[in-house]
Amino acid sequence: MQRNTKYTVVSLFATYIKAIVVELPRVTTPKQSAQIDAGQGMVVLTDKNSSAFFLSRSSWSKLGSVSLKHVSVGPAGIWGVDQQNEVYKFVASDFVPTHGLELKHVDAGGQGQVIGVAKSDRIHCLTANKASSIKEIMHWSTSSVTDLLIYISCAPTGCWGVNAQQSIFFTQISNSCVKPGIWNKVDGEAVNVEVGSDGNVFVVNRLGLLYERTGISDHVPQGTDWKKIEMSVKIKHASYDLGYLWLVTEEGFIVKCTKFVTSSCPDSC
């Protein structure tokens, strides 16, 4: 992971990043954010108190009444996991439990399916039909595979994951969950990975450094290289959707960035 790339800050929800960046007006912001996810034009997050929020224009609003440690949004809707690893789906105006399986992490960004990681690091997949059916919501059924991961993120182009040894993997999984693809190891190390709906991939490593995967195409969906995104603070979590990169710093601040469109932009995100 050697090459560098640049993004520019378009909004700071807790201003911090660089002294050179002019401080922008503050908005209603959750204190000390823990994790963020963007998809389907929505942005959701959890904070250190396990409260879930969604972004509405320039302010954050409480999302449901359930305390969650992780939340995800995508074609499958909004899903979350609480401190006891119980899985929830957002229905109407609140989260409802989906009894049948305990997961420490879920991702709703695939082709309608929901992918999750159990406490044992085993991967589970809920089919798109069952994920979208309110009638079957209380009867989570999955097909598990043999690979062990601590974090997973999916898009229509495929799924990315990292294991306890910080190795990075990629696979292509159909929305049927019946025939999961082979997990291929990708160069580099990371503690978490996020893939946007358009296939853009970002990882954060144990040092809090942020990288973007390059060379991704229909013929090479796993890409070819990593580019470092220069930051002056350590990053804890990243997510990408509709051209915007959303970051949570180690201090819990939220940053929204976009790629530079010209080479004359003054500084990086």
Side-chain angles (χ1 to χ4, degrees):
M1 295 184 178
Q2 299 293 328
R3 303 169 64 187
N4 298 344
T5 192
K6 289 187 176 182
Y7 279 69
T8 181
V9 174
V10 294
S11 183
L12 289 172
F13 290 100
T15 55
Y16 188 76
I17 295 304
K18 283 189 176 181
I20 194 171
V21 177
V22 177
E23 183 168 327
L24 300 178
R26 289 180 179 271
V27 297
T28 303
T29 308
K31 294 183 178 179
Q32 293 192 312
S33 302
Q35 166 262 335
I36 195 166
D37 193 50
Q40 300 292 99
M42 291 187 62
V43 184
V44 296
L45 64 79
T46 56
D47 66 8
K48 71 167 188 174
N49 297 318
S50 298
S51 295
F53 296 85
F54 72 95
L55 183 64
S56 178
R57 295 191 177 182
S58 61
S59 62
W60 297 92
S61 299
K62 191 75 168 58
L63 182 62
S65 61
V66 180
S67 296
L68 300 173
K69 65 177 180 179
H70 188 96
V71 67
S72 179
V73 60
I78 303 175
W79 293 70
V81 176
D82 68 12
Q83 293 293 343
Q84 288 71 46
N85 296 328
E86 186 164 7
V87 182
Y88 293 82
K89 180 182 179 181
F90 193 82
V91 179
S93 60
D94 208 351
F95 287 95
V96 296
T98 62
H99 301 297
L101 189 66
E102 293 183 350
L103 298 172
K104 60 182 179 180
H105 163 69
V106 292
D107 188 87
Q111 301 179 59
Q113 81 272 38
V114 179
I115 306 293
V117 178
K119 189 176 180 179
S120 62
D121 292 347
R122 195 169 299 278
I123 308 162
H124 296 267
C125 180
L126 183 67
T127 65
N129 286 338
K130 290 185 177 180
S132 63
S133 174
I134 297 177
K135 291 182 179 180
E136 296 184 63
I137 195 169
M138 304 301 287
H139 303 283
W140 178 292
S141 63
T142 63
S143 59
S144 60
V145 296
T146 57
D147 307 275
L148 303 179
L149 299 174
I150 61 172
Y151 198 95
I152 192 169
S153 179
C154 294
T157 54
C159 294
W160 291 73
V162 297
N163 65 11
Q165 291 72 45
Q166 302 175 27
S167 297
I168 305 169
F169 295 87
F170 169 80
T171 190
Q172 292 179 299
I173 296 180
S174 70
N175 60 5
S176 68
C177 297
V178 176
K179 296 180 179 179
I182 298 174
W183 287 92
N184 296 304
K185 188 175 180 180
V186 178
D187 60 294
E189 294 183 348
V191 294
N192 61 63
V193 58
E194 287 288 344
V195 53
S197 58
D198 57 1
N200 282 274
V201 179
F202 299 86
V203 297
V204 176
N205 68 13
R206 62 183 177 84
L207 300 177
L209 301 178
L210 177 67
Y211 293 85
E212 177 183 7
R213 190 66 173 173
T214 62
I216 294 175
S217 66
D218 292 340
H219 299 294
V220 189
Q222 73 275 18
T224 58
D225 198 5
W226 294 102
K227 283 187 177 181
K228 183 180 179 183
I229 300 176
E230 292 293 344
M231 303 289 295
S232 63
V233 293
K234 293 182 178 181
I235 301 302
K236 179 167 58 177
H237 200 265
S239 189
Y240 184 88
D241 184 51
L242 299 179
Y244 292 105
L245 175 62
W246 295 86
L247 307 173
V248 175
T249 72
E250 283 198 344
E251 292 78 11
F253 299 142
I254 308 165
V255 183
K256 178 184 178 184
C257 301
T258 187
K259 276 187 178 180
F260 287 148
V261 294
T262 70
S263 60
S264 60
C265 293
D267 207 345
S268 60
C269 164

